[in-house]
Coordinates of all heavy atoms in Angstrom, one line a residue:
T15 N 167.3 -88.4 -40.1 CA 167.3 -87.9 -38.7 C 168.1 -86.6 -38.6 O 167.8 -85.8 -37.7 CB 167.9 -89.0 -37.8 OG1 169.3 -89.2 -38.2 CG2 167.1 -90.2 -37.7
K16 N 169.0 -86.3 -39.5 CA 169.8 -85.1 -39.4 C 168.9 -83.9 -39.9 O 169.2 -82.8 -39.4 CB 171.0 -85.2 -40.3 CG 172.1 -86.1 -39.8 CD 173.3 -86.1 -40.6 CE 174.4 -87.0 -40.1 NZ 175.6 -87.0 -40.9
L17 N 168.0 -84.1 -40.7 CA 167.1 -83.1 -41.2 C 166.2 -82.6 -40.0 O 166.2 -81.4 -39.8 CB 166.2 -83.5 -42.4 CG 165.2 -82.5 -42.9 CD1 165.9 -81.3 -43.4 CD2 164.4 -83.2 -44.0
G18 N 165.5 -83.5 -39.4 CA 164.7 -83.1 -38.2 C 163.4 -82.4 -38.7 O 163.4 -81.8 -39.8
D19 N 162.4 -82.4 -37.8 CA 161.2 -81.8 -38.2 C 161.2 -80.3 -38.3 O 160.5 -79.7 -39.1 CB 160.1 -82.2 -37.1 CG 159.7 -83.7 -37.3 OD1 159.8 -84.2 -38.4 OD2 159.2 -84.2 -36.3
E20 N 162.0 -79.7 -37.5 CA 162.1 -78.2 -37.5 C 162.7 -77.6 -38.7 O 162.5 -76.5 -39.0 CB 162.8 -77.7 -36.2 CG 162.1 -78.0 -34.9 CD 160.7 -77.5 -34.9 OE1 160.5 -76.4 -35.3 OE2 159.8 -78.3 -34.5
K21 N 163.5 -78.4 -39.5 CA 164.1 -77.9 -40.7 C 163.4 -78.3 -42.0 O 163.8 -77.9 -43.1 CB 165.5 -78.4 -40.8 CG 166.4 -77.9 -39.7 CD 167.8 -78.4 -39.8 CE 168.7 -77.9 -38.6 NZ 170.0 -78.5 -38.7
R22 N 162.3 -79.0 -41.9 CA 161.5 -79.4 -43.1 C 160.8 -78.1 -43.6 O 160.3 -77.3 -42.9 CB 160.5 -80.4 -42.7 CG 161.0 -81.7 -42.3 CD 159.9 -82.7 -42.0 NE 160.5 -83.9 -41.3 CZ 161.1 -84.9 -41.8 NH1 161.2 -84.9 -43.1 NH2 161.5 -85.9 -41.1
S23 N 160.8 -78.0 -45.0 CA 160.2 -76.8 -45.6 C 158.7 -76.8 -45.5 O 158.1 -75.8 -45.5 CB 160.7 -76.7 -47.1 OG 160.4 -77.9 -47.8
L24 N 158.1 -78.0 -45.4 CA 156.7 -78.1 -45.3 C 156.3 -79.3 -44.4 O 156.8 -80.4 -44.5 CB 156.1 -78.4 -46.7 CG 154.6 -78.6 -46.8 CD1 153.8 -77.4 -46.5 CD2 154.3 -79.1 -48.2
R25 N 155.3 -79.0 -43.5 CA 154.8 -80.1 -42.6 C 153.3 -79.9 -42.6 O 152.7 -78.8 -42.6 CB 155.3 -80.0 -41.2 CG 156.8 -80.2 -41.1 CD 157.3 -80.4 -39.7 NE 156.7 -81.5 -39.1 CZ 156.6 -81.7 -37.8 NH1 157.1 -80.7 -37.0 NH2 156.1 -82.7 -37.3
L26 N 152.6 -81.0 -42.5 CA 151.1 -81.1 -42.3 C 150.8 -81.7 -41.0 O 151.4 -82.7 -40.6 CB 150.5 -81.9 -43.5 CG 150.8 -81.4 -44.9 CD1 150.2 -82.4 -45.9 CD2 150.3 -80.0 -45.1
F27 N 149.7 -81.2 -40.4 CA 149.2 -81.7 -39.1 C 147.7 -81.9 -39.2 O 147.0 -81.0 -39.8 CB 149.5 -80.8 -38.0 CG 151.0 -80.4 -37.8 CD1 151.5 -79.4 -38.4 CD2 151.8 -81.2 -37.0 CE1 152.8 -79.0 -38.2 CE2 153.1 -80.9 -36.8 CZ 153.6 -79.8 -37.4
G28 N 147.2 -83.0 -38.7 CA 145.8 -83.2 -38.7 C 145.2 -84.2 -39.6 O 144.0 -84.4 -39.6
S29 N 146.1 -84.8 -40.4 CA 145.6 -85.8 -41.3 C 146.8 -86.7 -41.8 O 147.9 -86.2 -42.0 CB 144.9 -85.2 -42.5 OG 144.6 -86.2 -43.4
E30 N 146.5 -88.0 -42.0 CA 147.5 -88.9 -42.5 C 147.1 -89.3 -43.9 O 147.8 -90.1 -44.5 CB 147.5 -90.2 -41.6 CG 148.0 -89.9 -40.2 CD 147.9 -91.2 -39.4 OE1 147.5 -92.2 -39.8 OE2 148.4 -91.1 -38.2
V31 N 146.1 -88.6 -44.5 CA 145.7 -89.0 -45.9 C 145.8 -87.8 -46.8 O 145.1 -87.7 -47.8 CB 144.3 -89.6 -45.9 CG1 144.2 -90.9 -45.2 CG2 143.3 -88.6 -45.3
V32 N 146.7 -86.8 -46.5 CA 146.9 -85.6 -47.3 C 148.4 -85.6 -47.7 O 149.3 -85.8 -46.9 CB 146.5 -84.4 -46.6 CG1 146.8 -83.1 -47.5 CG2 145.0 -84.4 -46.3
I33 N 148.6 -85.4 -49.0 CA 150.0 -85.1 -49.5 C 150.0 -83.7 -50.0 O 149.0 -83.2 -50.5 CB 150.5 -86.2 -50.5 CG1 149.5 -86.2 -51.7 CG2 150.6 -87.5 -49.9 CD1 150.0 -87.2 -52.8
A34 N 151.2 -83.1 -50.0 CA 151.4 -81.7 -50.4 C 152.5 -81.6 -51.4 O 153.5 -82.3 -51.3 CB 151.6 -80.9 -49.2
R35 N 152.4 -80.6 -52.2 CA 153.5 -80.2 -53.1 C 153.7 -78.7 -53.0 O 152.8 -77.9 -53.0 CB 153.0 -80.5 -54.6 CG 154.1 -80.1 -55.6 CD 153.8 -80.6 -56.9 NE 154.9 -80.4 -57.8 CZ 154.8 -79.8 -59.0 NH1 153.7 -79.3 -59.4 NH2 155.9 -79.6 -59.7
L36 N 154.9 -78.3 -52.7 CA 155.3 -77.0 -52.5 C 156.2 -76.5 -53.7 O 157.2 -77.1 -54.0 CB 156.1 -76.8 -51.2 CG 156.7 -75.5 -50.8 CD1 155.5 -74.5 -50.6 CD2 157.6 -75.6 -49.6
T37 N 155.8 -75.4 -54.3 CA 156.5 -74.8 -55.4 C 156.7 -73.3 -55.2 O 156.0 -72.7 -54.4 CB 155.9 -75.1 -56.8 OG1 154.5 -74.6 -56.8 CG2 155.8 -76.6 -57.1
G38 N 157.6 -72.7 -56.0 CA 157.7 -71.3 -55.9 C 159.1 -70.8 -55.8 O 160.1 -71.6 -56.0
D39 N 159.3 -69.5 -55.5 CA 160.6 -68.9 -55.3 C 160.7 -68.1 -54.0 O 159.8 -68.3 -53.2 CB 161.0 -68.1 -56.5 CG 159.9 -67.0 -56.8 OD1 159.3 -66.5 -55.8 OD2 159.8 -66.6 -58.0
K40 N 161.7 -67.3 -53.9 CA 161.8 -66.6 -52.6 C 160.7 -65.5 -52.3 O 160.5 -65.1 -51.2 CB 163.2 -65.9 -52.4 CG 163.5 -64.9 -53.4 CD 164.9 -64.4 -53.2 CE 165.3 -63.5 -54.4 NZ 166.7 -63.0 -54.2
G41 N 160.0 -65.1 -53.3 CA 158.9 -64.2 -53.1 C 157.5 -64.7 -53.1 O 156.6 -64.1 -52.6
R42 N 157.3 -65.9 -53.7 CA 156.0 -66.5 -53.8 C 156.1 -68.0 -53.6 O 157.0 -68.6 -54.0 CB 155.3 -66.2 -55.1 CG 155.2 -64.7 -55.4 CD 154.7 -64.5 -56.7 NE 153.3 -65.0 -56.8 CZ 152.5 -64.9 -57.8 NH1 152.9 -64.2 -58.9 NH2 151.3 -65.3 -57.8
R43 N 155.1 -68.6 -53.0 CA 154.9 -70.0 -52.8 C 153.5 -70.5 -53.1 O 152.6 -69.7 -52.9 CB 155.2 -70.5 -51.4 CG 156.7 -70.3 -50.9 CD 157.5 -71.4 -51.3 NE 158.8 -71.5 -50.6 CZ 159.9 -70.9 -51.0 NH1 159.9 -70.2 -52.1 NH2 161.0 -71.0 -50.3
R44 N 153.4 -71.7 -53.6 CA 152.1 -72.3 -53.8 C 152.1 -73.7 -53.2 O 153.0 -74.5 -53.4 CB 151.8 -72.5 -55.3 CG 150.5 -73.3 -55.6 CD 150.2 -73.2 -57.0 NE 149.4 -72.0 -57.2 CZ 148.9 -71.6 -58.3 NH1 149.1 -72.4 -59.4 NH2 148.2 -70.5 -58.4
V45 N 151.1 -73.9 -52.3 CA 151.0 -75.2 -51.7 C 149.7 -75.9 -52.3 O 148.7 -75.4 -52.3 CB 150.7 -75.1 -50.2 CG1 150.5 -76.5 -49.5 CG2 151.9 -74.3 -49.5
Q46 N 150.0 -77.1 -52.9 CA 148.9 -77.9 -53.5 C 148.7 -79.1 -52.5 O 149.6 -79.7 -52.2 CB 149.2 -78.4 -54.9 CG 149.5 -77.2 -55.8 CD 149.9 -77.7 -57.2 OE1 149.2 -78.5 -57.8 NE2 151.0 -77.3 -57.7
L47 N 147.4 -79.3 -52.1 CA 147.1 -80.3 -51.2 C 146.2 -81.3 -51.8 O 145.1 -80.9 -52.4 CB 146.4 -79.7 -49.9 CG 147.3 -78.7 -49.2 CD1 146.4 -77.8 -48.3 CD2 148.4 -79.3 -48.4
L48 N 146.5 -82.6 -51.7 CA 145.7 -83.7 -52.3 C 145.2 -84.6 -51.1 O 146.0 -85.2 -50.5 CB 146.5 -84.5 -53.3 CG 145.8 -85.6 -53.9 CD1 144.6 -85.2 -54.8 CD2 146.7 -86.4 -54.8
N49 N 143.9 -84.6 -51.0 CA 143.3 -85.5 -49.9 C 142.9 -86.8 -50.6 O 141.9 -86.8 -51.3 CB 142.1 -84.7 -49.3 CG 141.3 -85.6 -48.4 OD1 141.7 -86.7 -48.1 ND2 140.2 -85.0 -47.9
Y50 N 143.6 -87.8 -50.4 CA 143.2 -89.1 -51.1 C 142.4 -90.0 -50.2 O 142.1 -91.2 -50.5 CB 144.5 -89.8 -51.6 CG 145.5 -90.2 -50.5 CD1 145.4 -91.4 -49.9 CD2 146.5 -89.4 -50.2 CE1 146.3 -91.8 -48.9 CE2 147.4 -89.7 -49.2 CZ 147.3 -90.9 -48.6 OH 148.2 -91.3 -47.6
G51 N 141.9 -89.5 -49.1 CA 141.2 -90.3 -48.1 C 139.7 -90.5 -48.5 O 139.0 -91.3 -47.9
G52 N 139.2 -89.6 -49.4 CA 137.8 -89.8 -49.8 C 136.8 -89.0 -48.9 O 135.6 -89.0 -49.3
R53 N 137.2 -88.5 -47.8 CA 136.3 -87.7 -46.9 C 136.8 -86.3 -46.7 O 138.0 -86.1 -46.7 CB 136.2 -88.4 -45.6 CG 135.6 -89.8 -45.6 CD 135.4 -90.3 -44.2 NE 134.9 -91.7 -44.3 CZ 135.5 -92.7 -43.6 NH1 136.4 -92.4 -42.7 NH2 135.0 -93.9 -43.7
R54 N 135.9 -85.4 -46.5 CA 136.3 -84.1 -46.2 C 137.0 -84.0 -44.9 O 136.7 -84.7 -43.9 CB 135.0 -83.2 -46.0 CG 135.2 -81.8 -45.9 CD 133.9 -81.1 -45.8 NE 133.6 -80.7 -44.4 CZ 132.8 -79.9 -44.0 NH1 132.0 -79.3 -44.9 NH2 132.6 -79.6 -42.8
I55 N 138.0 -83.1 -44.8 CA 138.8 -83.0 -43.6 C 138.5 -81.6 -43.0 O 138.6 -80.6 -43.7 CB 140.3 -83.1 -43.9 CG1 140.6 -84.5 -44.4 CG2 141.2 -82.7 -42.7 CD1 142.0 -84.7 -44.9
D56 N 138.2 -81.5 -41.7 CA 138.0 -80.3 -41.0 C 139.2 -79.9 -40.2 O 139.6 -80.7 -39.3 CB 136.8 -80.4 -40.1 CG 135.5 -80.6 -40.9 OD1 135.4 -80.0 -42.0 OD2 134.7 -81.4 -40.4
G57 N 139.9 -78.8 -40.5 CA 141.0 -78.3 -39.7 C 142.3 -78.9 -40.0 O 143.0 -79.5 -39.1
L58 N 142.8 -78.7 -41.2 CA 144.2 -79.1 -41.5 C 145.1 -78.0 -41.2 O 144.9 -76.9 -41.7 CB 144.3 -79.5 -43.0 CG 145.6 -80.0 -43.5 CD1 145.9 -81.4 -43.0 CD2 145.7 -79.9 -45.0
R59 N 146.2 -78.3 -40.5 CA 147.2 -77.3 -40.2 C 148.5 -77.5 -41.1 O 148.9 -78.6 -41.3 CB 147.6 -77.3 -38.7 CG 148.5 -76.2 -38.3 CD 148.6 -76.1 -36.8 NE 149.0 -77.4 -36.2 CZ 150.1 -77.6 -35.4 NH1 150.9 -76.6 -35.2 NH2 150.3 -78.7 -34.9
V60 N 149.0 -76.3 -41.6 CA 150.1 -76.4 -42.5 C 151.2 -75.5 -41.9 O 151.0 -74.4 -41.4 CB 149.8 -75.8 -43.9 CG1 150.9 -75.8 -44.8 CG2 148.6 -76.6 -44.5
R61 N 152.5 -76.0 -41.9 CA 153.6 -75.2 -41.4 C 154.7 -75.1 -42.5 O 155.1 -76.1 -43.1 CB 154.3 -75.9 -40.2 CG 155.5 -75.2 -39.7 CD 156.1 -76.0 -38.5 NE 157.1 -75.3 -37.8 CZ 158.4 -75.3 -38.2 NH1 158.8 -76.0 -39.3 NH2 159.3 -74.6 -37.5
L62 N 155.1 -73.9 -42.9 CA 156.1 -73.6 -43.9 C 157.3 -72.9 -43.3 O 157.1 -72.0 -42.5 CB 155.5 -72.7 -45.0 CG 154.4 -73.2 -45.8 CD1 153.8 -72.1 -46.6 CD2 154.9 -74.3 -46.7
L63 N 158.5 -73.2 -43.7 CA 159.6 -72.4 -43.2 C 159.6 -71.1 -43.9 O 159.1 -70.9 -45.0 CB 160.9 -73.1 -43.6 CG 161.4 -74.3 -42.8 CD1 162.8 -74.8 -43.2 CD2 161.4 -74.0 -41.3
G64 N 160.0 -70.0 -43.1 CA 160.0 -68.7 -43.6 C 158.7 -67.9 -43.2 O 157.8 -68.4 -42.5
A65 N 158.8 -66.6 -43.5 CA 157.7 -65.7 -43.1 C 156.8 -65.5 -44.4 O 157.3 -64.9 -45.3 CB 158.2 -64.4 -42.6
W66 N 155.6 -66.0 -44.3 CA 154.7 -65.9 -45.5 C 153.3 -65.3 -45.1 O 152.9 -65.4 -44.0 CB 154.5 -67.3 -46.0 CG 155.7 -67.9 -46.5 CD1 156.5 -68.8 -45.8 CD2 156.4 -67.7 -47.7 NE1 157.7 -69.1 -46.5 CE2 157.6 -68.4 -47.7 CE3 156.1 -66.9 -48.8 CZ2 158.5 -68.4 -48.7 CZ3 157.0 -66.8 -49.9 CH2 158.2 -67.6 -49.8
Q67 N 152.7 -64.7 -46.1 CA 151.4 -64.1 -46.0 C 150.4 -64.8 -46.9 O 150.3 -64.5 -48.1 CB 151.5 -62.6 -46.4 CG 150.4 -61.7 -45.9 CD 150.5 -61.6 -44.3 OE1 151.5 -61.6 -43.7 NE2 149.3 -61.5 -43.8
P68 N 149.6 -65.8 -46.4 CA 148.7 -66.5 -47.2 C 147.4 -65.6 -47.4 O 147.0 -64.8 -46.5 CB 148.4 -67.8 -46.5 CG 148.6 -67.5 -45.1 CD 149.7 -66.4 -45.0
G69 N 146.8 -65.8 -48.5 CA 145.5 -65.1 -48.7 C 144.4 -66.1 -48.6 O 144.3 -66.8 -47.5
E70 N 143.6 -66.3 -49.6 CA 142.5 -67.3 -49.6 C 143.0 -68.6 -50.2 O 143.9 -68.6 -51.0 CB 141.3 -66.8 -50.4 CG 140.7 -65.6 -49.7 CD 139.5 -65.1 -50.6 OE1 139.5 -65.2 -51.8 OE2 138.6 -64.6 -49.9
A71 N 142.4 -69.7 -49.8 CA 142.7 -71.0 -50.5 C 141.5 -71.3 -51.4 O 140.4 -70.9 -51.2 CB 142.7 -72.0 -49.4
Q72 N 141.8 -71.9 -52.5 CA 140.8 -72.5 -53.4 C 140.7 -73.9 -53.1 O 141.6 -74.7 -53.3 CB 141.3 -72.3 -54.9 CG 141.3 -70.8 -55.3 CD 139.9 -70.3 -55.6 OE1 138.9 -71.0 -55.8 NE2 139.8 -69.0 -55.5
V73 N 139.5 -74.3 -52.6 CA 139.3 -75.7 -52.2 C 138.2 -76.3 -53.1 O 137.1 -75.8 -53.2 CB 138.8 -75.8 -50.7 CG1 138.6 -77.2 -50.3 CG2 139.9 -75.1 -49.8
L74 N 138.6 -77.4 -53.7 CA 137.6 -78.1 -54.5 C 136.4 -78.5 -53.7 O 136.5 -79.0 -52.6 CB 138.3 -79.4 -55.2 CG 137.4 -80.1 -56.2 CD1 137.2 -79.2 -57.4 CD2 138.2 -81.4 -56.7
E75 N 135.2 -78.3 -54.2 CA 133.9 -78.6 -53.6 C 133.5 -77.5 -52.5 O 132.5 -77.6 -51.9 CB 133.8 -80.0 -53.0 CG 134.0 -81.1 -54.0 CD 133.9 -82.5 -53.4 OE1 133.9 -82.6 -52.2 OE2 133.9 -83.4 -54.2
A76 N 134.4 -76.6 -52.2 CA 134.1 -75.5 -51.2 C 134.3 -74.1 -51.7 O 133.8 -73.2 -51.1 CB 134.9 -75.8 -49.9
G77 N 135.0 -74.0 -52.8 CA 135.3 -72.7 -53.4 C 136.4 -72.0 -52.6 O 137.3 -72.6 -52.1
K78 N 136.3 -70.6 -52.6 CA 137.3 -69.8 -51.8 C 137.1 -70.0 -50.4 O 136.0 -69.9 -49.9 CB 137.2 -68.3 -52.2 CG 137.7 -68.0 -53.6 CD 137.7 -66.5 -53.8 CE 138.2 -66.2 -55.2 NZ 138.2 -64.8 -55.5
V79 N 138.1 -70.2 -49.6 CA 138.1 -70.5 -48.2 C 139.1 -69.6 -47.5 O 140.3 -69.6 -48.0 CB 138.3 -72.0 -47.8 CG1 138.4 -72.2 -46.3 CG2 137.3 -72.8 -48.5
A80 N 138.8 -68.9 -46.5 CA 139.7 -68.0 -45.8 C 140.7 -68.9 -45.0 O 140.3 -69.9 -44.4 CB 139.0 -67.1 -44.9
V81 N 141.9 -68.5 -44.9 CA 142.9 -69.2 -44.1 C 142.8 -68.7 -42.7 O 142.7 -67.5 -42.4 CB 144.4 -68.9 -44.7 CG1 145.4 -69.5 -43.8 CG2 144.5 -69.5 -46.1
D82 N 142.8 -69.7 -41.8 CA 142.6 -69.4 -40.3 C 143.9 -69.4 -39.6 O 144.9 -70.1 -40.0 CB 141.7 -70.4 -39.7 CG 140.3 -70.3 -40.1 OD1 139.9 -69.2 -40.6 OD2 139.5 -71.3 -40.0
A83 N 144.0 -68.7 -38.5 CA 145.0 -68.8 -37.5 C 146.4 -68.7 -38.0 O 147.2 -69.6 -37.9 CB 144.9 -70.1 -36.7
L84 N 146.7 -67.6 -38.7 CA 148.1 -67.4 -39.2 C 149.0 -67.0 -38.0 O 148.7 -66.1 -37.3 CB 148.1 -66.2 -40.2 CG 149.4 -65.8 -40.7 CD1 150.0 -66.9 -41.6 CD2 149.3 -64.5 -41.5
V85 N 150.1 -67.8 -37.9 CA 151.1 -67.5 -36.9 C 152.5 -67.6 -37.5 O 152.8 -68.5 -38.2 CB 151.0 -68.6 -35.8 CG1 152.1 -68.4 -34.8 CG2 149.7 -68.6 -35.1
V86 N 153.3 -66.5 -37.3 CA 154.6 -66.5 -37.8 C 155.6 -66.4 -36.6 O 155.6 -65.4 -35.9 CB 154.9 -65.3 -38.8 CG1 156.3 -65.3 -39.3 CG2 153.9 -65.3 -39.9
E87 N 156.3 -67.5 -36.3 CA 157.3 -67.4 -35.2 C 158.3 -68.6 -35.4 O 158.0 -69.6 -36.1 CB 156.5 -67.6 -33.9 CG 155.9 -68.9 -33.6 CD 155.3 -68.9 -32.2 OE1 154.9 -67.9 -31.7 OE2 155.2 -70.0 -31.7
G88 N 159.4 -68.4 -34.8 CA 160.4 -69.4 -34.9 C 160.9 -69.7 -36.3 O 161.3 -70.9 -36.6
G89 N 160.9 -68.7 -37.2 CA 161.3 -69.0 -38.5 C 160.4 -69.7 -39.4 O 160.8 -70.2 -40.5
A90 N 159.1 -69.8 -39.0 CA 158.1 -70.6 -39.8 C 156.8 -69.9 -39.7 O 156.5 -69.1 -38.8 CB 158.0 -72.0 -39.3
T91 N 155.9 -70.2 -40.7 CA 154.6 -69.7 -40.8 C 153.6 -70.9 -40.6 O 153.8 -71.9 -41.3 CB 154.3 -69.0 -42.1 OG1 155.2 -67.9 -42.2 CG2 152.9 -68.5 -42.2
E92 N 152.6 -70.8 -39.7 CA 151.6 -71.9 -39.6 C 150.3 -71.3 -39.8 O 150.0 -70.2 -39.4 CB 151.7 -72.5 -38.2 CG 152.9 -73.3 -38.0 CD 152.8 -74.1 -36.7 OE1 151.7 -74.3 -36.2 OE2 153.8 -74.5 -36.2
F93 N 149.4 -72.0 -40.5 CA 148.1 -71.6 -40.8 C 147.2 -72.8 -40.9 O 147.7 -74.0 -41.1 CB 147.9 -70.7 -42.0 CG 148.3 -71.4 -43.3 CD1 147.4 -72.1 -44.1 CD2 149.6 -71.3 -43.8 CE1 147.8 -72.7 -45.3 CE2 150.0 -71.9 -45.0 CZ 149.1 -72.6 -45.7
S94 N 145.9 -72.6 -40.8 CA 144.9 -73.8 -40.9 C 143.9 -73.5 -42.0 O 143.5 -72.4 -42.2 CB 144.2 -73.9 -39.5 OG 145.0 -74.2 -38.5
L95 N 143.5 -74.6 -42.6 CA 142.4 -74.6 -43.5 C 141.2 -75.1 -42.8 O 141.3 -76.3 -42.2 CB 142.6 -75.4 -44.7 CG 143.7 -74.9 -45.7 CD1 143.9 -75.9 -46.8 CD2 143.3 -73.5 -46.2
P96 N 140.1 -74.4 -42.7 CA 139.0 -74.9 -41.9 C 138.3 -76.2 -42.5 O 137.8 -77.0 -41.8 CB 138.0 -73.8 -41.9 CG 138.4 -72.9 -43.0 CD 139.8 -73.1 -43.2
V97 N 138.5 -76.3 -43.9 CA 137.9 -77.5 -44.5 C 138.8 -77.8 -45.7 O 139.4 -76.9 -46.4 CB 136.5 -77.2 -45.0 CG1 136.4 -76.0 -46.0 CG2 135.8 -78.4 -45.6
L98 N 139.0 -79.1 -46.0 CA 139.7 -79.6 -47.2 C 138.9 -80.7 -47.9 O 138.6 -81.7 -47.3 CB 141.1 -80.1 -46.7 CG 142.0 -80.7 -47.9 CD1 142.3 -79.6 -48.9 CD2 143.2 -81.3 -47.3
G99 N 138.6 -80.4 -49.1 CA 138.0 -81.4 -49.9 C 139.0 -82.3 -50.6 O 140.1 -82.5 -50.0
P100 N 138.8 -82.8 -51.8 CA 139.7 -83.6 -52.5 C 141.0 -82.9 -52.9 O 142.1 -83.6 -52.9 CB 139.0 -84.1 -53.7 CG 137.6 -83.8 -53.5 CD 137.5 -82.7 -52.5
Y101 N 141.0 -81.6 -53.1 CA 142.2 -80.9 -53.6 C 142.0 -79.4 -53.2 O 140.9 -78.9 -53.2 CB 142.2 -81.0 -55.1 CG 143.4 -80.3 -55.7 CD1 144.7 -80.7 -55.7 CD2 143.1 -79.0 -56.4 CE1 145.7 -80.1 -56.3 CE2 144.2 -78.4 -57.0 CZ 145.5 -78.9 -56.9 OH 146.5 -78.2 -57.5
A102 N 143.2 -78.8 -52.9 CA 143.2 -77.3 -52.6 C 144.5 -76.7 -53.0 O 145.5 -77.4 -53.1 CB 143.0 -77.1 -51.1
V103 N 144.4 -75.4 -53.3 CA 145.6 -74.7 -53.6 C 145.7 -73.4 -52.7 O 144.7 -72.7 -52.6 CB 145.6 -74.2 -55.1 CG1 146.8 -73.3 -55.4 CG2 145.6 -75.4 -56.0
V104 N 146.8 -73.2 -52.1 CA 147.0 -72.0 -51.3 C 148.2 -71.2 -51.9 O 149.3 -71.8 -51.9 CB 147.3 -72.3 -49.8 CG1 147.4 -71.0 -49.0 CG2 146.2 -73.2 -49.3
D105 N 148.0 -70.0 -52.3 CA 149.1 -69.1 -52.7 C 149.5 -68.2 -51.6 O 148.7 -67.6 -50.9 CB 148.6 -68.3 -54.0 CG 148.5 -69.2 -55.2 OD1 149.4 -70.0 -55.4 OD2 147.5 -69.0 -55.9
L106 N 150.8 -68.1 -51.5 CA 151.4 -67.2 -50.4 C 152.4 -66.3 -51.0 O 153.1 -66.6 -52.0 CB 152.1 -68.1 -49.4 CG 151.3 -69.2 -48.8 CD1 151.7 -70.6 -49.4 CD2 151.5 -69.2 -47.3
T107 N 152.6 -65.1 -50.4 CA 153.6 -64.2 -50.7 C 154.5 -63.9 -49.5 O 154.1 -64.1 -48.4 CB 153.0 -62.8 -51.2 OG1 152.2 -62.3 -50.2 CG2 152.2 -63.0 -52.5
A108 N 155.7 -63.5 -49.8 CA 156.7 -63.3 -48.7 C 156.2 -62.1 -47.8 O 155.7 -61.1 -48.3 CB 158.1 -62.9 -49.3
A109 N 156.3 -62.3 -46.5 CA 155.9 -61.3 -45.6 C 156.9 -60.2 -45.6 O 158.1 -60.4 -45.8 CB 155.7 -61.9 -44.2
K110 N 156.4 -59.0 -45.4 CA 157.3 -57.8 -45.4 C 157.7 -57.4 -44.0 O 157.1 -57.6 -43.1 CB 156.7 -56.7 -46.2 CG 156.4 -57.0 -47.6 CD 155.7 -56.0 -48.4 CE 155.5 -56.5 -49.8 NZ 154.8 -55.7 -50.6

């Protein structure tokens, strides 16, 4: 309860069957998303602490997918993936 939702380094919205792994350093981050639900997910939202600039996502069964709705505010970056298959990787760089 002391950590609170606003201080979490990574949060996911829009699915209860996706787990994420966040790796990297202060200049680069990689988010790996695993959808264990067995069905395609439309519109997964991701929130990361810090100011980040995502490029394209590599989504299994969909290929390269553009990241939608990038918002940087309140010390965090939020973006959406329009589609998520079984697995996806999103690489991000620190915003300048």
Side-chain angles (χ1 to χ4, degrees):
T15 60
K16 290 183 181 182
L17 177 62
D19 286 339
E20 295 304 314
K21 294 181 183 176
R22 294 181 195 277
S23 57
L24 174 69
R25 293 189 65 201
L26 301 175
F27 302 92
S29 177
E30 296 178 357
V31 294
V32 175
I33 57 175
R35 181 174 188 229
L36 177 64
T37 58
D39 56 28
K40 62 183 174 181
R42 299 176 67 171
R43 291 279 196 267
R44 173 171 277 180
V45 179
Q46 298 177 57
L47 301 164
L48 178 64
N49 172 6
Y50 62 89
R53 294 188 189 131
R54 185 177 104 163
I55 295 172
D56 295 321
L58 180 75
R59 188 168 50 120
V60 179
R61 181 183 186 273
L62 297 170
L63 282 185
W66 298 98
Q67 199 66 34
E70 294 179 326
Q72 291 287 338
V73 178
L74 187 62
E75 297 180 354
K78 287 185 180 182
V79 174
V81 173
D82 290 341
L84 174 68
V85 176
V86 179
E87 70 178 23
T91 301
E92 289 190 21
F93 62 90
S94 297
L95 292 177
V97 63
L98 176 63
Y101 179 76
V103 174
V104 183
D105 288 317
L106 305 104
T107 55
K110 296 178 183 175

